[in-house]
Amino acid sequence: MSNTEFVYTTYIKTTPEKVWSAITTPEFCKQYWINTNVSDWKKGSKWEHVTDEGKVMVTGEVLESDPPNRLVLTWAWAEDPVDSAAPSRVTFDIEAIDNMVRLNVLHDKLQAGSVMASKIAQGWPRVLSSMKSMLETGKALDTWALKCGD
């Protein structure tokens, strides 16, 4: 099976520090993503995407951490040993441009046609649009009112 990638770029009227915080601070993350991202965000550390009930949905390792400019993570379903053996990778590149931020998200090393690739293609636009709204207006979008695939 071949690999595929998903690329998403958005411009947000905010600062790199606030985008970094939106991704890495559990309380902030929960406001636009429903779940939280938990780690100390140091290279080599474990990170987890966790529900309110404490269930780990996605897990991985911090490959690069350069606050507030770049964060690279491995990404795998927590309960799928096959996915965990060959995790995909997410790269957040955060760049200040004038009075805004260009956020590039690259999710690569995905198995073409996999459930993960399908969910990512629908999930990232929702997550990043909600984050953008949260950072610019103080209110997240209700992007999770519909299930992925609707």
Side-chain angles (χ1 to χ4, degrees):
M1 191 176 269
S2 64
N3 285 338
T4 191
E5 65 183 28
F6 181 83
V7 180
Y8 192 88
T9 301
T10 189
Y11 293 82
I12 308 170
K13 190 167 179 68
T14 192
T15 65
E17 292 79 11
K18 287 182 181 177
V19 171
W20 181 270
S21 182
I23 297 166
T24 62
T25 305
E27 299 78 20
F28 199 149
C29 184
K30 181 175 177 36
Q31 294 178 64
Y32 69 88
W33 203 341
I34 299 175
N35 300 320
T36 60
N37 292 328
V38 179
S39 178
D40 66 9
W41 306 109
K42 295 178 182 169
K43 183 178 178 177
S45 292
K46 181 177 183 177
W47 81 275
E48 297 176 324
H49 188 67
V50 184
T51 68
D52 277 346
E53 297 77 31
K55 181 177 180 180
V56 177
M57 302 297 292
V58 179
T59 188
E61 178 185 342
V62 178
L63 300 176
E64 291 180 46
S65 184
D66 178 21
N69 306 303
R70 184 175 171 88
L71 181 64
V72 183
L73 315 167
T74 61
W75 185 283
W77 295 119
E79 296 180 357
D80 184 343
V82 173
D83 198 41
S84 295
S88 57
R89 178 178 60 193
V90 177
T91 302
F92 298 94
D93 281 314
I94 304 164
E95 180 183 2
I97 299 176
D98 297 322
N99 63 346
M100 65 183 133
V101 168
R102 177 173 51 212
L103 173 62
N104 288 308
V105 178
L106 168 64
H107 196 141
D108 63 354
K109 297 189 176 185
L110 289 156
Q111 293 297 313
S114 68
V115 171
M116 177 70 82
S118 174
K119 295 234 182 236
I120 293 307
Q122 295 177 41
W124 276 123
R126 289 178 175 200
V127 167
L128 297 174
S129 294
S130 188
M131 180 175 72
K132 175 181 169 59
S133 181
M134 184 73 196
L135 286 165
E136 291 180 340
T137 71
K139 183 170 173 151
L141 299 176
D142 192 11
T143 60
W144 306 108
L146 299 173
K147 296 191 185 292
C148 285
D150 291 347

